[in-house]
Amino acid sequence: MGIGDLPPPSATPSQPRNRTKRSWTWEHFTNIPGNRENPQARCHHCGALCGCHSKKQGTAVLIVHLRGCQRYKMSMGEIKKMVIPQYSEKLVRDMLAEMIIEDEIPFTTVDKRGFRKFVKTIEPQFPLT
Ligand SMILES: [Zn+2]
C-alpha cells in the first residue's frame, strides 16, 4: 500500500457563483411590475413603495429607505422590542415602597381594606401580609 494508492481527492468543481445583478436589497423589496417609466418596489417590512428605476434611482433609494425603516430595523434587532416585565414580587414591593415614600402615603395604607382590594385586583399573586 503506497501513497500512490490513495484515491484522488474528491473532485468538487468549484463553480463560481452566479453573480446576479440583483442587489441584496431585493431580499427586502418586491419589484412592482407595471409602470415601466416609474417602477416601484414595495418594502417587505413596512409596505412602503419606493421608486427603483435602475437608471434614475437604482437601489440606493431602497437602501436609504431601509436605513430609515423602523420595521426593518426592528426585524434586524436594532430596535429592542418592548419587554413586558414578568410579575416580580420584589418589583411590586419596591414600587409600593417607592409610592409610599414619594407620595407620602402613610404606611398603614397597605393595611386598609380598600387598598388591599385594589392590589388584589391588579396583582392577585401579590401576598399582602
Ligand atoms: Zn420599510
Side-chain angles (χ1 to χ4, degrees):
M1 197 162 88
I3 288 165
D5 297 335
L6 282 170
S10 56
T12 44
S14 55
Q15 271 181 345
R17 275 194 186 172
N18 278 339
R19 279 200 65 83
T20 54
K21 268 176 74 186
R22 287 174 87 76
S23 155
W24 60 270
T25 48
W26 289 110
E27 285 170 27
H28 304 282
F29 286 89
T30 301
N31 205 350
I32 311 262
N35 195 340
R36 282 180 65 189
E37 295 298 308
N38 184 29
Q40 288 188 306
R42 188 185 293 279
C43 174
H44 289 178
H45 304 281
C46 70
L49 288 171
C50 302
C52 61
H53 198 288
S54 54
K55 295 264 163 55
K56 282 192 224 158
Q57 292 121 333
T59 53
V61 173
L62 307 183
I63 294 167
V64 168
H65 171 82
L66 284 175
R67 279 200 192 127
C69 181
Q70 297 293 308
R71 283 185 185 241
Y72 166 70
K73 285 184 188 172
M74 224 182 267
S75 76
M76 298 303 278
E78 276 188 43
I79 295 172
K80 292 270 183 295
K81 289 191 184 82
M82 282 275 287
V83 178
I84 297 157
Q86 294 286 301
Y87 167 72
S88 153
E89 196 185 308
K90 191 189 175 296
L91 181 71
V92 177
R93 279 186 195 282
D94 288 352
M95 289 309 290
L96 188 61
E98 206 180 297
M99 182 184 83
I100 287 166
I101 293 158
E102 205 172 300
D103 296 345
E104 293 169 6
I105 295 165
F107 273 94
T108 50
T109 303
V110 296
D111 291 326
K112 295 268 198 289
R113 263 174 59 194
F115 180 80
R116 296 171 80 90
K117 237 199 244 171
F118 168 70
V119 172
K120 278 274 171 252
T121 306
I122 56 165
E123 188 44 77
Q125 289 183 71
F126 188 67
L128 275 170
T129 46

